[in-house]
Amino acid sequence: MSEAVTNGSSESVIDLLKSHYPARYYGMLLSGADTLDQAFDVWSAVDVNGRPLADLTTLPAASALVPLTAEQFALIVGADHVWVDPQGQTLTYPGRYYARYDTTAAQPTIVTGWFDTWTLTTTANIGSAADMVPLSSEAWNARASNPWGVQSGQLVSYTPPPPVIPLKDQATSELGWISTQASMASAMGETFTDPMKVYVKAIQAIANGTDTTSTALPARPAMIMN
């Protein structure tokens, strides 16, 4: 290859490079490392910052490098830790930007974390790429503009559902309302109707745990005082 680079035409050199480095963009690992040390556009003979490569003949064979897509190569600028599976020679997080969510929750479900994985000094606690949603640069930059959730592998606008209040807590709160109504009725010389008295007992049973079968508070009866 050295002779072809020195003596061949530009077209023959490019053809030779393509035959040896078909992916065009590559990253290189240092021995024993788990992140890329360098990245190259081999066909253009420049590194990720656009600096010319001094000597293409010293590049390792393509089989010893990590192939990259054009998008990955562009995203490497400013990235300090591009994680690689050394055995498979593939990027551990091929998309760089990710949204994490509870994979066991009913969807849509809220995003629980945002990660620029290529800048993290460790990925021990963020989960695998397969358990997160990869994001484009545009989605990453827009992440603060809206409450986001995940549905079918995509980001969606998300409004969290209201919190579920335990039935006993609902009953206890309802007893507070009943007490207020009773005080008002007493002040006016009035009493609860029979349906209201039945309602009060039902609420008390839920609040004190006597009623263990109800799943919702009964409907309030009409408040007609005698």
Side-chain angles (χ1 to χ4, degrees):
M1 191 166 101
S2 175
E3 183 178 352
V5 171
T6 303
N7 300 322
S9 67
S10 296
E11 183 176 355
S12 64
V13 170
I14 293 297
D15 290 342
L16 186 60
L17 287 172
K18 289 181 178 180
S19 68
H20 283 277
Y21 299 95
R24 180 171 180 169
Y25 304 103
Y26 291 88
M28 186 169 69
L29 285 170
L30 293 179
S31 178
D34 54 7
T35 59
L36 292 184
D37 177 61
Q38 301 178 63
F40 317 103
D41 175 352
V42 179
W43 296 2
S44 298
V46 295
D47 68 11
V48 72
N49 295 304
R51 295 186 293 256
L53 300 181
D55 186 358
L56 285 174
T57 63
T58 64
L59 280 181
S63 59
L65 299 174
V66 179
L68 305 171
T69 65
E71 182 178 6
Q72 289 168 339
F73 184 76
L75 286 174
I76 285 176
V77 176
D80 300 319
H81 298 86
V82 183
W83 299 92
V84 178
D85 173 7
Q87 294 182 339
Q89 288 189 298
T90 57
L91 299 189
T92 308
Y93 297 94
R96 180 168 178 169
Y97 304 115
Y98 287 87
R100 184 172 65 187
Y101 64 100
D102 182 353
T103 59
T104 66
Q107 296 186 8
T109 185
I110 194 168
V111 170
T112 58
W114 304 93
F115 301 102
D116 178 350
T117 59
W118 294 1
T119 61
L120 300 177
T121 56
T122 178
T123 59
N125 299 314
I126 72 169
S128 68
D131 291 332
M132 298 190 288
V133 176
L135 307 176
S136 65
S137 297
E138 292 74 18
W140 173 258
N141 291 331
R143 68 190 185 281
S145 64
N146 201 48
W148 294 104
V150 174
Q151 185 167 29
S152 302
Q154 301 293 325
L155 286 187
V156 294
S157 296
Y158 181 76
T159 301
V164 177
I165 302 174
L167 189 60
K168 288 186 66 174
D169 292 348
Q170 295 180 45
T172 299
S173 178
E174 185 70 358
L175 285 177
W177 176 83
I178 290 170
S179 179
T180 300
Q181 303 307 309
S183 296
M184 292 172 61
S186 177
M188 293 184 291
E190 298 175 337
T191 60
F192 285 155
T193 61
D194 288 341
M196 188 63 184
K197 292 175 182 178
V198 172
Y199 177 74
V200 172
K201 290 181 179 180
I203 296 299
Q204 288 174 330
I206 295 173
N208 63 28
T210 304
D211 179 354
T212 60
T213 59
S214 293
T215 57
L217 298 184
R220 287 177 180 172
M223 291 211 41
I224 299 174
M225 304 298 183
N226 296 323

